[in-house]
Structure formats: structure tokens, C-alpha cells
Amino acid sequence: MSFQVFGIAVSRGVAIGRAVLVASSRVDVAHYFVAVDQLQAEFDRLLRARDAVALELETLKAELPEDAPHELAALLDVHLMLLHDEAFTGGAGQWIFERHYNAEWALSAQLEVLARQFDEMEDDYLRERKADLEQVVERVLGALAQALGDAPAPITPRDFAGEDPLLLVAADIAPADMIQFKRSVFRGFITDIGGKTSHTAIVARSMDIPAVVGTREASRLIMQDDWVIIDGDAGTVIVNPSPIVLEEYRFRQRQSELERARLARLRHTPAVTLDGEQIELHANIEMPADAEAAVTAGATGVGLFRSEFLFMNREGELPSEDEQFAAYKAAVEAMRGMPVTIRTVDVGADKPLDRLTVNELRHEHVLNPAMGLRAIRWSLAEPSMFRQQLRAIYRASAFGKVRLLIPMVAHLSEVRQILETVKKVQQQLTDAGHAYTRVELGVMIEIPAAAVMLPLLLRHVDFVSIGTNDLIQYTLAIDRADEAVAHLYDPWHPAVLQLIHQSIAQARAAGKGVSVCGEMAGDPDFTELLLAMGLRSFSMHPSQIPAVKQRVLRADSLRLAAALTRVLESEDPRGTAERELASARTGTAVH
Ligand code: PEP
Ligand code: MG
């Protein structure tokens, strides 16, 4: 039966493929394909892990003390029975032999199938056995992890011709897990949870693959292996489409690929408006390896390196100064002399460090993470870690143009502490004989307080970067990751537009650099408005650079600026912008 699920469009384009349901708790399980001649060996690896767990359970059972409650032995029997059930390894084996999944993936795929069968059982006792099944799977995954050395080499999707494209469906995916899906086998994402600028959505956009979030129940309604279309522009998911609908979307998919190829030709064209204003189009990156895509897309620098992604998936150990230095240096060298703006770690809110690390740092009881010990607050609360990061950033400055960006600043006292720490760090580096050059210091404008008091902040910094994702969240009191209030998350809200406009105007009046690095900068719907406000530096995912550049090439900044007041004073800024700013747009950029 064909049906649709509606969500929030977060990453454009159309993806067509088979659904792979992954339980949120198992999103971090490795997903890769195994070469055909290794399939039997992979199945054997699974059987060995199963046998190791069976032995462990048998031993546990044999060693139960005489007076142990008899439920314990019964429970171990249930686990052993599940483990030896044909539906367990046999089912997982099918995923290996037919789909070429690695053992961990095959096991979690089979768990999804069996868990649904348990959910549908009438009998309460049997239904509750799902928890036992999950525990058994957890044990086998643990055994597989212990024997990781035996795992086959993953083959990349490109080498694998026989498989339909795969689309990931999960209740939720944490940003830290998303990062592992970069260059993964999945061609699209669907989640129940999330908003347009949640970090999961941001990473999906950076991967340039279609995604829909905030569907609320896609992971319950979609079945393993269903045919699914993701319409990343409309925010809809079509499950088991009819042949006619499928054909229509295949056509749209081809059209959007052609459009991308057409836009890619703008790569070497300088971003200059019709009236000769030169515009910087910088890239947002999460890892040093992303710098290559930034150069390929024609970025003229990195406007936001979200360094916190280096701090995730660490299982307790944060990156050392040397490890950070190597990462920053790699990004700087990859940008070949173009500026690289490194933001100090912005953990907290929807980008938590993993549990172990957080516990170790004793910050585990977070009541309201978006308003808690996040970003610069966290860095100032962990001064030795902050100094370590600053040292690594300054050391990278010896290899290219580095700029330092501080997230979530709201107080002058924070800026003073940052400046003092920078001084201390410079002295430490000099004493240790490390080379560094001048690093411009910037703060992010993400909290309304910072925008309102900007003239004071500007006295102490070289540049500012407007983080519209958080600025909208904090101005409108809307959790950016919460789909329940996503309809109220409105970049067109007059208060948001006023704060952005004022910030750009004040920074320019003070002769300081100003850019926008939130998602608005990469959305072509806002290019003209931001140009009209006087913005000359945009930072976005590399994949969005061509579409924004096309808008820049067609824009006349003087005509746009003349229309700005009418937009800002309008009760319907979006409608007014569409009318007023579109009439100031001329010409066709791509020939
Ligand atoms: C922002 O808030 O706009 C921003 C760029 O930072 P992040 O999305 O990483 O919070
Ligand atoms: Mg932010």
C-alpha cells in the first residue's frame, strides 16, 4: 500500500531507494558492504560471535549459586533459546548473503524485523521478550566488536553494483553518529525527530543528500526494505510508490542532477554582483577532510570550522593538543592560503559529548542544555582544555591564514577572559618555541544580547559572525531541534531580521568584518535580502555555494538596498521580499 509521511525538508533533492530501519541506539553500528567472495567468511564471523555468547551464557548458568532465584536460570534459558533460534542467525545470514551487509549491520537489520514481530504479539509475556532479544543482540554485537580484527575490509558503495540505493530511517540520529555516515552507503535520511537547523539536519545538508526530519512516526510506519522516495525539497516521504509516481520522481531526480551539473560550472566564476561588489563565499566544515569539497565547490575560505566534531565519538578521551593541531593544520593546508576560521568547541545542546566524557568532566546533570554550559561557557569552565585548543589553533596559524571564532558570547566579561587566555597561550607558545602568526579574533552573534550590545563587543574583536541558527532559536525561544515547535522557527520573523540587519550595519560602521555562517547564508531565498542588508561575506556548506553564487551574480546590490526598508517595515517580510527583491534581480548567470 502506498502512503505518504510528512516532515520537515532539510536537505534538498530526491532520493529513491529501499528503507533501512536502524534503531536509534544502534545508529553507531558499522554499516558497510562485504565483497562477494567474503560473504561466507562474514557469516562465519557472526556464527563465531554467537557461539562465544552462547558459551558465556552457558557458563553463567552453570555457575549460578544454589540459592539464586530460579528466574535467573529461566532468563538465561530464554536468551540461549533466542540465540539459537533460526530466525536469529538465519535471518541475519540472509542480509549478509542477499544484501552483502556486514555482520553487525545484518544483525541490527534482523533485530528490527524481529522486534516488529514481537510488538505485534497479543500475549503480554511474549511481547516483553523483545527486551531479551535486544539484550542478546547487544551481547553478540559486543562479541563482534571484540573480534574486530577478523572483520572484512569494507567496500565502498561505488564498487558495489548489485544493490538498490539505501535510505536510512531512524527515530533519531545524533550529530556525532551522522558524522560517521559521511561517505556511507546511505543515499538519504528520514528521522522522526529534529528541526530544520538541528545539527543532524545540518550534517545531512553538508553531505548534500536528500533528508526529511521531524516526521514523528516514519520509523514506525515504514517497514524494513520498503521502497521509499524522499522529496527533500517538499519534506515528504512516499512509501511504496506506484509505478507512475516512481517514474515522475525519477524524472525530477534527473532534472535536479542536471541543474547541479549546470551550477557546478560556476565554480571558477568570481562572486561579484552586477554593480561590481565582490562577495566572499566561504565554506562551513566539520572535519579537515571537508576542506577538499570546499575548494572543489569554489569556496574562497572556510568561514566556520565546527571543531566540536573532533571532540565527538571519543569514548572518554578528548583530542590532545597535538591531535587538534594536526587537524587544524590539515584544514589550513588544504585551503592553500585562503583563510580558515576555526570556531572553538561548541559542545552542549544537541551536540553532547559522549556520556563517558561528560561524566568524566562531571557536567552530567544538564537541565536545559540549550541554555546551559554550552560553547564558550563550557570552554571557560574547563580552562586547561580551552588553553589546549587555543594553543593548537595558534600553532596552525604558522601554516596559513587562521582566524579564531568564539561561539555563544553574551557578556563582555567572557571576551575579557578570552583575551587574557589568548595572551597566556601566546606566551606559552613563545616559551615553548612554537611558531605562530597574528590570528584575528571574532565572536559569534547567536544570542540576542550580543546583537543588542554589539557596539561594545566590537571594541574588543576583529570581526563578528552571525550564527542565525541559534540567533533565531534564542530570539524566538524556539528549540531548533524540536519538531513540535518547528513551525514557529521563522527566519523571516521581523525581530530576527532587525537583529541581523543591525548587526551587519553596526559592524560595517565600526570597520569590522561581518559574515553570516548560519543556515540562512546558504539558503538562496535569503541571498538578496542579506546583500540588501550590506552583507559581503557568507559561509555555508560547500554544496550550497553554486546556487548562492548564481543569486549573487544576478544581483544589483544598490537596487536591493533601496528596497530593504520596505521589507523591514512590512508585516509580511517574506512576501514583500519576494516582490521587492525579485524585481531588483536581473540577468541570467549561467549560459
Ligand atoms: C549558528 O548557530 O547559526 C551556527 C552557525 O552555529 P551552530 O549551527 O553550530 O550552532
Ligand atoms: Mg550556533
Side-chain angles (χ1 to χ4, degrees):
M1 187 191 61
S2 179
F3 63 95
Q4 292 194 30
V5 183
F6 300 92
I8 301 164
V10 294
S11 188
R12 72 213 159 111
V14 170
I16 303 172
R18 286 194 185 273
V20 174
L21 280 123
V22 180
S24 296
S25 57
R26 282 187 191 78
V27 171
D28 58 347
V29 159
H31 295 80
Y32 57 89
F33 294 118
V34 174
V36 175
D37 59 1
Q38 307 246 0
L39 297 177
Q40 184 60 48
E42 186 62 351
F43 184 55
D44 292 344
R45 187 166 78 92
L46 176 65
L47 294 184
R48 278 199 301 279
R50 180 202 60 183
D51 293 345
V53 172
L55 185 67
E56 195 182 306
L57 294 177
E58 299 278 10
T59 316
L60 268 176
K61 200 175 138 197
E63 288 173 358
L64 275 182
E66 295 271 304
D67 54 350
H70 93 274
E71 286 87 353
L72 255 180
L75 187 72
L76 290 171
D77 281 335
V78 169
H79 284 199
L80 279 163
M81 193 191 71
L82 287 167
L83 200 56
H84 289 297
D85 195 303
E86 176 53 24
F88 188 73
T89 31
Q94 254 177 319
W95 292 107
I96 294 176
F97 288 111
E98 289 173 15
R99 294 296 173 75
H100 305 190
Y101 291 0
N102 61 304
E104 291 86 347
W105 183 3
L107 199 57
S108 37
Q110 188 58 13
L111 170 66
E112 283 296 317
V113 172
L114 297 176
R116 292 210 178 208
Q117 291 174 7
F118 277 101
D119 282 340
E120 281 160 16
M121 284 177 183
E122 299 277 316
D123 185 298
D124 283 351
Y125 173 81
L126 288 176
R127 213 170 39 243
E128 282 158 18
R129 299 290 60 80
K130 186 174 118 177
D132 294 307
L133 178 69
E134 285 172 343
Q135 284 170 23
V136 170
V137 168
E138 213 55 67
R139 278 183 183 274
V140 180
L141 285 173
L144 283 167
Q146 274 179 12
L148 254 193
D150 300 345
I155 59 172
T156 64
R158 263 195 310 283
D159 300 336
F160 187 71
E163 181 67 57
D164 298 318
L166 300 178
L167 312 181
L168 181 84
V169 185
D172 189 18
I173 311 174
D177 291 329
M178 275 301 281
I179 213 85
Q180 302 197 12
F181 284 123
K182 284 201 171 195
R183 295 170 199 84
S184 81
V185 296
F186 297 108
R187 293 283 158 268
F189 294 91
I190 304 162
T191 63
D192 296 350
I193 291 177
K196 201 171 178 74
T197 61
S198 61
H199 283 92
T200 302
I202 287 175
V203 181
R205 259 194 299 281
S206 79
M207 292 161 71
D208 200 18
I209 59 172
V212 173
V213 304
T215 60
R216 287 168 176 249
E217 45 185 10
S219 75
R220 193 177 60 77
L221 298 175
I222 299 172
M223 298 286 155
Q224 195 78 277
D225 241 13
D226 274 348
W227 271 100
V228 170
I229 297 173
I230 298 179
D231 182 341
D233 299 302
T236 47
V237 177
I238 305 168
V239 186
N240 296 320
S242 67
I244 291 182
V245 172
L246 200 59
E247 202 34 58
E248 149 101 22
Y249 273 92
R250 287 207 194 282
F251 175 74
R252 281 182 48 185
Q253 203 175 25
R254 282 194 295 274
Q255 292 294 101
S256 90
E257 274 156 20
L258 283 176
E259 171 69 6
R260 274 173 202 226
R262 202 171 65 87
L263 284 177
R265 283 190 263 144
L266 290 177
R267 181 187 160 196
H268 296 297
T269 310
V272 180
T273 62
L274 292 173
D275 56 320
E277 286 286 328
Q278 197 152 347
I279 309 300
E280 294 294 349
L281 299 183
H282 287 175
N284 291 356
I285 64 170
E286 276 93 37
M287 289 289 180
D290 301 336
E292 213 42 65
V295 173
T296 307
T300 49
V302 168
L304 174 65
F305 179 167
R306 288 185 163 98
S307 70
E308 55 274 13
F309 283 91
L310 298 174
F311 288 66
M312 294 180 189
N313 299 318
R314 303 291 308 192
E315 288 174 9
E317 206 185 306
L318 294 178
S320 67
E321 178 182 324
D322 282 345
E323 188 184 336
Q324 288 187 60
F325 163 63
Y328 305 144
K329 177 170 171 265
V332 168
E333 287 182 335
M335 291 310 292
R336 299 158 205 164
M338 293 183 276
V340 176
T341 311
I342 304 172
R343 181 174 72 178
T344 55
V345 64
D346 181 4
V347 288
D350 66 336
K351 286 176 292 194
L353 292 176
D354 60 81
R355 184 163 302 283
L356 220 77
T357 320
V358 174
N359 285 345
E360 211 162 80
L361 296 170
R362 296 179 304 282
H363 298 312
E364 69 264 52
H365 300 299
V366 182
L367 287 177
N368 185 345
M371 297 209 179
L373 198 65
R374 211 197 127 169
I376 186 58
R377 303 166 183 185
W378 188 83
S379 294
L380 291 175
E382 298 289 342
S384 77
M385 242 171 275
F386 188 40
R387 283 196 299 272
Q388 196 178 50
Q389 177 165 38
L390 290 180
R391 278 197 300 271
I393 293 173
Y394 266 83
R395 283 171 62 190
S397 75
F399 297 85
K401 188 168 187 321
V402 169
R403 306 191 329 153
L404 172 65
L405 181 59
I406 311 289
M408 291 274 296
V409 167
H411 301 268
L412 271 176
S413 60
E414 288 163 343
V415 177
R416 291 199 186 100
Q417 285 182 72
I418 294 159
L419 288 167
E420 263 170 41
T421 314
V422 162
K423 242 193 233 156
K424 220 177 272 172
V425 160
Q426 287 172 326
Q427 190 57 51
Q428 285 174 344
L429 291 176
T430 307
D431 294 346
H434 285 301
Y436 64 90
T437 56
R438 175 169 150 70
V439 172
E440 285 186 6
L441 170 69
V443 290
M444 289 196 68
I445 306 300
E446 302 183 278
I447 299 179
V452 172
M453 64 181 280
L454 190 58
L456 298 181
L457 289 172
L458 285 168
R459 291 180 194 161
H460 304 276
V461 299
D462 300 303
F463 70 98
V464 292
S465 190
I466 307 173
T468 50
N469 308 337
D470 277 315
L471 188 60
I472 298 167
Q473 152 164 281
Y474 295 120
T475 304
L476 304 180
I478 299 295
D479 186 332
R480 61 194 261 197
D482 184 351
E483 73 282 356
V485 284
H487 59 292
L488 297 172
Y489 185 93
D490 181 14
W492 289 101
H493 192 290
V496 171
L497 299 184
Q498 289 290 352
L499 288 176
I500 296 172
H501 177 227
Q502 271 171 33
S503 302
I504 296 170
Q506 287 171 349
R508 288 188 59 154
K512 301 283 166 97
V514 53
S515 70
V516 170
C517 63
E519 297 300 291
M520 272 171 91
D523 184 342
D525 286 350
F526 290 99
T527 309
E528 283 135 353
L529 179 66
L530 294 170
L531 287 170
M533 290 177 175
L535 190 75
R536 299 293 177 261
S537 173
F538 296 62
S539 193
M540 66 201 81
H541 302 298
S543 61
Q544 275 142 318
I545 289 179
V548 171
K549 190 185 274 184
Q550 169 153 276
R551 290 291 178 113
V552 168
L553 296 174
R554 293 172 174 178
D556 180 329
S557 73
L558 290 172
R559 286 176 67 187
L560 287 173
L564 179 66
T565 313
R566 288 192 287 283
V567 177
L568 292 178
E569 288 178 357
S570 167
E571 289 188 12
D572 171 24
R574 180 177 207 152
T576 311
E578 271 163 18
R579 279 191 310 278
E580 299 278 344
L581 302 180
S583 69
R585 185 191 311 149
T586 44
T588 308
V590 183
H591 305 286

